[in-house]
Amino acid sequence: MLKSPEHQVAGHRAQDGQLGPLVDGCGIFYKPLQGDGRGDAEVAFYTSLFSHPAVPPHILSFFPGFHGTLVLPASDASGPRPHLALDDLLAGLRSPSLIDLKIGGRTWPPDCPEDYFQKCIVKDRESTSVALGFRVSGVQIQDPAGADAFWRPSRAAVRRYMVEDVRRVLRQFVSANPPSPDQKPDCALASAVYGGPDGVLAQLMELKAWFEEQTLFHFYSASVLLVYEKDAAVAAAGQQAGKSSGVRMKLVDFAHVMEGQGVIDHNFLGGLCSLIKFMSDVLNDPEAGGRESIKVQLSCEDGSLENLGI
Ligand SMILES: O=P(O)(O)O[C@@H]1[C@@H](OP(=O)(O)O)[C@H](OP(=O)(O)O)[C@H](O)[C@H](OP(=O)(O)O)[C@H]1OP(=O)(O)O
Ligand SMILES: Nc1ncnc2c1ncn2[C@@H]1O[C@H](COP(=O)(O)OP(=O)(O)O)[C@@H](O)[C@H]1O
């Protein structure tokens, strides 16, 4: 039985009669081919990626497995429509924490229509894309209150994230305590999720090494999707010998990939470098907590919690 994904954090959703992705519960994620040539562009990208002799096999592991296209009833009841059949990156996970990070200071491809350029540049400027080279598109964090309890800020709230919000959410994402404006993220899972030989930073460094030389593709508006389960990360954090947290890191959304034409993708590469720096800061200084921690330290020193509004 096909249904709307339970844990989707960004993008178009198959809800309220809208066109969006479907999952079969057996490990496949079906993304409907979008109009304006975007769907065709995404199929062309996957086909090229998985058949290109110059793409190293280890790089393919950073992408969802691609199983061609399949015509399925569209979620908006518009009838049969081709869908990309991709590995469901959340398969087998009951309580996933996930974050979608859209990479690149600019999300619009060269030569795109003027109205699309205008729409994108406004979002790039108003979000952290221009300032940081990436922005948060959506996030969900499992709440310690229960396996089925999640903290998921609204799309509107995420759209307003500024630099300090991004810094904070990257800490909250790897914290065992619940996200709260009044509580410093404890970053207890940072070394298990971001660190270690299989952690996010090691994977990002491997991906970055490829982007330093690959000139085949330019990825506009694509995202890094991070997924893990807190139970596994807590178990990994408790092990001395560095057990893996099982974090999954994949790139998604290739509706605006262009040919690289022999030039490196400096837009995407710059965003990756910036993200690496932000995550390294979390790993190297798990005690720092942005604005909240400064408030807490001050309040401890003079004992005036009320004066500081905490
Ligand atoms: O229309 P919006 O404002 O929801 O924009 C969508 C984006 O939402 P966001 O900027 O994150 O709020 C959306 O971003 P996310 O996937 O949510 O990160 C996509 O960029 C989408 O375009 P496309 O499917 O990649 O071609 C964008 O959709 P299009 O309007 O370009 O179809
Ligand atoms: N292969 C996948 N498996 C599981 N979830 C996915 C997969 N691809 C995308 N998603 C989910 O869907 C969201 C939007 O995906 P995306 O490809 O960016 O769609 P759109 O083109 O509508 O923006 C992601 O943030 C993630 O939550």
Side-chain angles (χ1 to χ4, degrees):
M1 239 271 283
L2 295 173
K3 56 175 189 167
S4 173
E6 202 181 335
H7 302 291
Q8 186 181 339
V9 291
H12 305 93
R13 289 183 169 81
Q15 285 161 2
D16 307 321
Q18 302 293 307
L19 184 65
L22 300 164
V23 287
D24 64 2
C26 299
I28 303 292
F29 180 95
Y30 296 99
K31 179 171 174 176
L33 267 59
Q34 293 164 306
D36 291 343
R38 294 175 196 192
D40 291 337
E42 200 158 17
V43 174
F45 168 71
Y46 271 107
T47 306
S48 169
L49 178 81
F50 279 94
S51 60
H52 205 297
V55 178
H58 71 101
I59 289 301
L60 295 178
S61 67
F62 291 116
F63 295 84
F66 172 53
H67 309 284
T69 58
L70 195 65
V71 175
L72 296 170
S75 63
D76 61 356
S78 58
R81 189 181 189 104
H83 288 63
L84 282 156
L86 305 169
D87 281 347
D88 182 354
L89 305 175
L90 276 61
L93 304 184
R94 180 178 166 209
S95 305
S97 293
L98 59 155
I99 187 165
D100 180 313
L101 298 153
K102 194 183 284 265
I103 308 295
R106 57 176 268 197
T107 58
W108 43 277
D111 302 327
C112 66
E114 180 66 19
D115 57 344
Y116 187 72
F117 161 73
Q118 292 296 345
K119 182 180 143 172
C120 289
I121 199 153
V122 167
K123 285 200 274 188
D124 293 351
R125 284 177 179 157
E126 289 181 350
S127 69
T128 62
S129 290
V130 168
L132 299 185
F134 70 94
R135 68 177 182 249
V136 178
S137 276
V139 59
Q140 156 175 311
I141 303 176
Q142 194 218 320
D143 194 298
D148 296 323
F150 298 97
W151 175 79
R152 194 197 284 186
S154 69
R155 192 181 175 102
V158 171
R159 277 194 175 197
R160 289 193 297 270
Y161 277 6
M162 292 292 99
V163 175
E164 284 309 313
D165 303 306
V166 171
R167 216 186 286 282
R168 192 184 64 247
V169 85
L170 288 174
R171 306 180 79 86
Q172 287 173 331
F173 189 64
V174 289
S175 290
N177 60 342
S180 153
D182 302 329
Q183 220 183 354
K184 180 179 158 187
D186 62 25
C187 298
L189 310 175
S191 58
V193 177
Y194 292 163
D198 304 321
V200 175
L201 271 169
Q203 295 186 56
L204 282 174
M205 295 301 287
E206 195 179 335
L207 194 59
K208 172 176 163 274
W210 184 59
F211 272 89
E212 281 167 347
E213 61 175 36
Q214 77 85 14
T215 59
L216 298 171
F217 308 110
H218 284 191
F219 295 78
Y220 295 99
S221 208
S223 292
V224 165
L225 188 69
L226 304 180
V227 185
Y228 80 100
E229 278 200 308
K230 280 202 173 172
D231 283 356
V234 168
Q239 304 273 329
Q240 290 202 331
K243 190 171 175 277
S244 171
S245 66
V247 62
R248 302 173 185 180
M249 190 195 93
K250 303 282 179 184
L251 299 182
V252 297
D253 201 356
F254 310 113
H256 305 285
V257 174
M258 308 295 287
E259 282 183 20
Q261 298 180 328
V263 176
I264 65 162
D265 188 352
H266 49 84
N267 178 55
F268 197 91
L269 177 59
L272 277 185
C273 292
S274 178
L275 179 59
I276 286 168
K277 170 68 177 139
F278 269 71
M279 286 192 175
S280 303
D281 286 349
V282 178
L283 200 56
N284 295 333
D285 193 5
E287 292 301 313
R291 284 176 304 202
E292 288 80 23
S293 71
I294 293 166
K295 278 187 191 171
V296 171
Q297 277 171 3
L298 286 170
S299 68
C300 291
E301 278 161 21
D302 72 1
S304 55
L305 286 170
E306 285 172 4
N307 291 348
L308 289 156
I310 296 174

